[in-house]
Amino acid sequence: MNFESLSLSKPLLRSLEAVGYSEPTPIQQETIPHVLKGRDVVGCAQTGTGKTAAFALPTLQRLMESANRPTTGAGQRRKRSGRRVIRSLILSPTRELAAQIGQSLATYGSFTGLRNTVIYGGVKQHSQVKALRSGVDILVATPGRLLDLIGQGHVHLDHVEVLILDEADQMLDMGFILDLRKIVAEVPGERQTLMFSATMPPEIRSLAKEWLRRPYEVQSTPVASTPKLVSQSVYFVERQNKQSTLTRFLQGIKTAKTLVFSRTKRGADKIAHRLQRDGIRAISIHGDKSQSKRQAVIRQFNTARPPVLVATDLASRGLDFSDISYVINYDLPNTPEIYVHRIGRTARAGATGQAVTFCSGDE
């Protein structure tokens, strides 16, 4: 199957050709036709399988089609006012994931004439408000900053036609449920709703029943299943020996791009500092770092000679790093779902990868 067979428009096919995409992934094959028909969708697939394109491509097409119907809906409102109105809202749990969704929309929509912007906390709002005032068709947002700007009168969601919740389970884990309810209350009841996640716990299914109408369910892989191309192994090592074991392990794979997971922010900083002391280039990333520092870390890790990156679970979702050879669980994660997300940072886009877990007696 190719993208042409999914009935995507020429501007979208042109953008896909420009970036070298020719064959849709399973989640895209299953999802795109139903979204194009206007159906609500709840989708569950492993990280790295192409969920963003699965909702971005058909949403761009639906917005193009509605804009070309000037007698009703958003097309008429835009014609009367001369301004774009927000017709699709995409909610994301983290700044990094929101930024990546925005980049994907810009790529896929480069020949559509549609405009998107991204808003999130941790930075000053001036440039975000300026972009909103210029008019956007698609808004990508984290819940907290979105509610702030709604309260200030900078964001109006009464013309939203497509509401998308990405990584919905993580938004619940991060305590966003009250914010989500407030936001959904601002969106018209007559809308298309899409909900995507790599895991689908009972709480998410309950929300899907509440917010979606007879949704088509897509589950391209079993819940909490691990990628087939990841080779998994475990080292039984006591906690006091983990740091020295990590140093020796990394010294044996000097050229490999490696991501190390720590359970805590303080732990991530400490692991990175000790690796530096042992002569290994290392940096850390977690939620206490400013947005500018997080972006600087991401740029370093994406260079041709990347340092070892030590991260909290902030990096298990939302950070689209390519070519990671090793994922190391310095601390064992608390749930199978978190383990799936962590090791899903490697073996992306058809590549293979290695996942190594350090397990102490108390774990």
Side-chain angles (χ1 to χ4, degrees):
M1 181 178 287
N2 53 32
F3 284 105
E4 288 91 338
S5 64
L6 296 177
S7 300
L8 291 174
S9 64
K10 289 183 179 180
L12 295 177
L13 293 175
R14 184 180 172 192
S15 67
L16 290 169
E17 184 181 1
V19 293
Y21 294 169
S22 57
E23 295 183 3
T25 65
I27 186 81
Q28 293 161 7
Q29 292 177 28
E30 283 201 64
T31 301
I32 289 174
H34 294 280
V35 178
L36 287 176
K37 292 176 183 177
R39 288 197 64 175
D40 288 0
V41 171
V42 54
C44 182
Q46 291 170 348
T47 183
T49 56
K51 290 196 296 293
T52 301
F55 64 72
L57 290 167
T59 296
L60 287 164
Q61 182 153 321
R62 283 181 58 76
L63 295 184
M64 288 171 61
E65 291 170 350
S66 68
N68 292 329
R69 295 194 296 269
T71 55
T72 59
Q76 179 65 15
R77 289 189 290 270
R78 179 177 172 184
K79 185 176 180 180
R80 286 201 302 263
S81 67
R83 293 186 67 251
R84 297 171 188 261
V85 293
I86 297 169
R87 294 187 286 135
S88 179
L89 171 65
I90 303 175
L91 294 174
S92 158
T94 65
R95 310 167 194 172
E96 287 76 16
L97 180 56
Q100 286 178 28
I101 294 171
Q103 291 170 0
S104 294
L105 287 168
T107 298
Y108 303 142
S110 55
F111 303 109
T112 65
L114 297 172
R115 187 183 300 168
N116 79 86
T117 197
V118 181
I119 62 173
Y120 48 72
V123 297
K124 293 182 179 179
Q125 70 177 45
H126 174 73
S127 61
Q128 297 176 0
V129 171
K130 185 178 179 181
L132 289 166
R133 286 175 177 167
S134 299
V136 297
D137 301 288
I138 306 172
L139 177 63
V140 186
T142 53
R145 175 53 62 92
L146 176 60
L147 284 174
D148 286 345
L149 296 185
I150 289 174
Q152 296 173 42
H154 297 303
V155 174
H156 303 280
L157 301 177
D158 48 335
H159 299 322
V160 168
E161 302 168 24
V162 185
L163 171 65
I164 302 169
L165 293 87
D166 194 22
E167 299 289 6
D169 57 339
Q170 190 182 15
M171 284 194 276
L172 261 63
D173 290 343
M174 294 173 69
F176 283 134
I177 182 59
L178 293 179
D179 287 351
L180 292 178
R181 292 191 184 280
K182 292 176 184 177
I183 293 166
V184 172
E186 296 285 328
V187 178
E190 288 295 319
R191 65 173 189 271
Q192 182 179 28
T193 307
L194 313 176
M195 185 180 290
F196 287 86
S197 179
T199 62
M200 201 62 61
E203 297 84 358
I204 294 298
R205 295 200 175 276
S206 176
L207 285 181
K209 291 180 181 178
E210 181 180 346
W211 291 338
L212 281 68
R213 295 172 298 178
R214 298 183 301 278
Y216 179 79
E217 292 197 17
V218 177
Q219 187 167 305
S220 66
T221 51
V223 174
S225 62
T226 54
K228 292 180 179 179
L229 294 177
V230 178
S231 173
Q232 302 170 67
S233 59
V234 59
Y235 283 30
F236 294 103
V237 53
E238 290 305 330
R239 189 171 299 278
Q240 65 269 23
N241 298 325
K242 282 190 176 185
Q243 187 72 45
S244 59
T245 302
L246 177 64
T247 295
R248 290 197 304 273
F249 186 89
L250 294 174
Q251 287 171 340
I253 55 167
K254 291 181 180 179
T255 60
K257 192 171 186 179
T258 304
L259 176 59
V260 178
F261 279 106
S262 164
R263 184 178 291 119
T264 66
K265 302 167 187 175
R266 183 183 175 195
D269 288 336
K270 185 183 293 185
I271 293 166
H273 176 73
R274 289 180 177 175
L275 288 175
Q276 292 168 2
R277 182 195 62 190
D278 293 339
I280 296 173
R281 292 175 60 244
I283 50 178
S284 62
I285 187 169
H286 51 69
D288 280 353
K289 291 186 179 290
S290 68
Q291 187 63 21
S292 60
K293 287 183 179 179
R294 284 156 71 166
Q295 290 173 337
V297 167
I298 291 170
R299 284 195 297 271
Q300 278 186 269
F301 194 59
N302 281 326
T303 59
R305 188 171 169 267
V308 173
L309 178 61
V310 187
T312 58
D313 285 309
L314 164 75
S316 68
R317 313 191 202 192
L319 300 182
D320 190 14
F321 298 130
S322 60
D323 305 323
I324 292 177
S325 300
Y326 286 86
V327 169
I328 300 175
N329 292 300
Y330 187 92
D331 296 310
L332 205 67
N334 293 324
T335 67
E337 289 79 13
I338 294 176
Y339 179 81
V340 169
H341 285 299
R342 286 184 180 184
I343 72 170
R345 295 301 96 193
T346 187
R348 299 174 75 86
T352 59
Q354 304 271 346
V356 177
T357 298
F358 291 175
C359 182
S360 62
D362 61 336
E363 294 176 294

